[in-house]
Amino acid sequence: MSPPKNPAEFSTTAVRTQGTPTQAAHAVPALTIIGHAQPQRIGERLLLEGLLSDERAVALSRNAPDFSRPGGVLSLPLGDPFLSRTPVRFEPGLRGGVRLRVPEDGTPVLVGGEPVKGGREFPADALVAGVPLVLAGRVALLLHRATVRASGAPRPANPADLAGLGMVGDSEGIVRVREDVLRVADLQVPVLIRGETGTGKELVARALHAQGLRRAGPFVSVNLGALSRDLIAAELFGTLRGAFTGATRDRDGFFRAAHGGTLFLDEVAEAPPEVQAALLRVLETGEVYPVGGQTPVRVDVRLVTATDADLEARIHDGRFKAPLLHRLAGFEIVVPPLRERREDITPLFLHFARQELETTGEAERLMSADARAEPWLPASLAVRLARSAWPGNVRQLRNVARQLVIGSRGLPGLRVDARMEQTLDTDALPIPGQPLSVEAPSSATENTPAGHRTPARRKPADVSEQEVLEALRACAWDLKATADWLGIPRSSVYVLIDKSSLLRTARDLSPEEITRCFHECEGDLDRMVQKLEVSRRALQRRVRELGLEGT
């Protein structure tokens, strides 16, 4: 059995779903709202199909075009009054990429915290990973690839609502999981769920039970990795009195507890060899032998298992039985990691945030009708969420949502402290794309690569104070980006700042000024940088030194 494919490897002409004929589909560039003053709009999407079909540019402003939720009817433009009526433009790029053009009098656009001047070229692989964009410091969008099914493509026979399975998101990977659940739920075959830790494999198992014929029966969930290896057999199959020291009475075990329903075995790869053999026997005969017993007991159980391990590698090493894998995997469902479904991250975050806000009586924060309001979920935080590596997947995201909501109680918006910033920025998605030169061609028919804005190296002495100030402001006080912008070494930027009468550094700020600004900006470091006009990294160090992070 070959390992599951990475969703990034999907063909642009077809997507194969486990256990069903190939469904005609094609991948198109799309924009998904991941941050907005009206949080209920997060998750709405605009397909940029015109970039592939007839090579037309798509002009995006506050008034057009319309975004809509996948499968929904209502569609609206971005509608943020702080966005310009002058549109930014998305054009066909090189070899399946997308080119972004930002007019000088249009809406300011940031990519990874860097201002876009003129334009930026995003290659096809950047779209697969996802490109977070911030418009006017308020609206956050994710430029990514979306898979669109051709009209008439086969759908699951079960008419149940896909959104009713408790799985949040509209990415291709999670839609495929929901469809697979509906496809196999009413059958009796065992199901193996694969996915990294924290991706929500038990949620999939519960959906299989809820949509199946055994929904009226028990659902029993067992994590084999949490059981003592010496007691796994007794816990699963039961024991007879006197079977071993301490067995003072008969016990049914989990298989018999799940009779007539579903037994979910998580971390099935942790089963010891003797338990693997017993599991294979149960699957083949429908009978269990309690520990210490000689007479089999009939059980009627739908078995669903899950693992984050490479079972094929364990078979090769002799640690897992190949016949057991073949029996467990009557049907496989692969749950994608969060980093491969980045358009789902902020909708998931809001789902968990809503649960926390309901406990504090503040759920109305997520239903704002005021497009002029300061976003409750700041655009900079939405981008951090979208760029994070999420090694703990959905479980980690739930924990982050809880910490941010509780840590921001009583505040008008979410506040991120330096420690959380560091957590989210660890192994974050790199800033994608390359700047375009002003002379870069705007036509998609151009066959040569667009020029990149790589200014000639200059002598620091040739850079004026005013030019340094303007570059710092354009680059949001990111010193590395400023150095690249000016065409000088980063170390020279420090020297020019020290010599300038127009500029100051974080060490020039008094503790009183930093403390006052910290409280005025409610701890938002990005707002503090814009107000104090100093390096973000240096300001963060001063904030830590003053012990303001936890206040």
Side-chain angles (χ1 to χ4, degrees), residues 231 234 238-251 291-292:
L231 297 177
T239 60
L240 295 183
R241 178 182 177 184
F244 51 83
T245 302
T248 58
R249 58 185 177 86
D250 293 350
R251 293 185 58 188
V291 175

Side-chain angles (χ1 to χ4, degrees), residues 102-178:
V102 181
E104 289 186 7
D105 58 345
T107 298
V109 179
L110 297 178
V111 177
E114 292 185 359
V116 176
K117 296 295 182 181
R120 200 168 183 94
E121 182 86 28
F122 301 113
D125 59 350
L127 271 62
V128 172
V131 180
L133 311 171
V134 175
L135 279 58
R138 294 173 51 84
V139 176
L141 303 174
L142 186 72
L143 175 63
H144 63 102
R145 288 280 186 186
T147 301
V148 179
R149 308 280 176 89
S151 58
R155 308 291 291 184
N158 193 322
D161 182 8
L162 288 178
L165 300 181
M167 302 176 204
V168 176
D170 293 298
S171 64
E172 170 62 21
I174 205 65
V175 168
R176 189 176 65 252
V177 169
R178 289 197 292 252

Side-chain angles (χ1 to χ4, degrees), residues 11-148:
S11 165
T12 58
T13 58
V15 175
R16 182 171 299 279
T17 303
Q18 179 81 23
T20 190
T22 300
Q23 299 183 2
H26 62 287
V28 301
L31 290 169
T32 293
I33 300 176
I34 60 173
H36 198 278
Q38 298 168 300
Q40 63 270 27
R41 297 206 55 191
I42 289 175
E44 293 181 8
R45 179 181 296 176
L46 169 67
L47 296 177
L48 306 178
E49 292 184 277
L51 301 189
L52 297 183
S53 59
D54 53 13
E55 296 189 336
R56 290 186 305 176
V58 175
L60 177 68
S61 70
R62 72 187 188 195
N63 297 323
D66 289 347
F67 287 69
S68 62
R69 202 163 296 279
V73 177
L74 181 66
S75 60
L76 294 168
L78 289 175
D80 190 298
F82 294 91
L83 269 60
S84 173
R85 291 186 176 88
T86 303
V88 298
R89 297 173 65 84
F90 294 88
E91 304 170 352
L94 301 167
R95 296 178 292 278
V98 170
R99 185 175 299 151
L100 169 65
R101 292 198 173 273
V102 181
E104 289 186 7
D105 58 345
T107 298
V109 179
L110 297 178
V111 177
E114 292 185 359
V116 176
K117 296 295 182 181
R120 200 168 183 94
E121 182 86 28
F122 301 113
D125 59 350
L127 271 62
V128 172
V131 180
L133 311 171
V134 175
L135 279 58
R138 294 173 51 84
V139 176
L141 303 174
L142 186 72
L143 175 63
H144 63 102
R145 288 280 186 186
T147 301
V148 179

Side-chain angles (χ1 to χ4, degrees), residues 314-375:
R314 294 195 175 214
I315 289 172
H316 184 266
D317 295 341
R319 292 181 292 160
F320 202 82
K321 297 181 181 296
L324 177 59
L325 173 57
H326 301 154
R327 291 305 301 266
L328 294 177
F331 188 84
E332 284 193 24
I333 297 178
V334 179
V335 186
L338 206 51
R339 64 182 176 276
E340 292 176 2
R341 42 182 295 221
R342 293 187 185 270
E343 62 267 42
D344 292 340
I345 290 175
T346 48
L348 265 168
F349 176 86
L350 289 187
H351 172 74
F352 296 132
R354 182 177 291 106
Q355 294 175 348
E356 298 301 323
L357 288 169
E358 286 173 351
T359 65
T360 62
E362 300 177 292
E364 71 279 356
R365 292 185 182 277
L366 299 184
M367 291 300 295
S368 172
D370 185 4
R372 292 181 172 272
E374 193 69 21

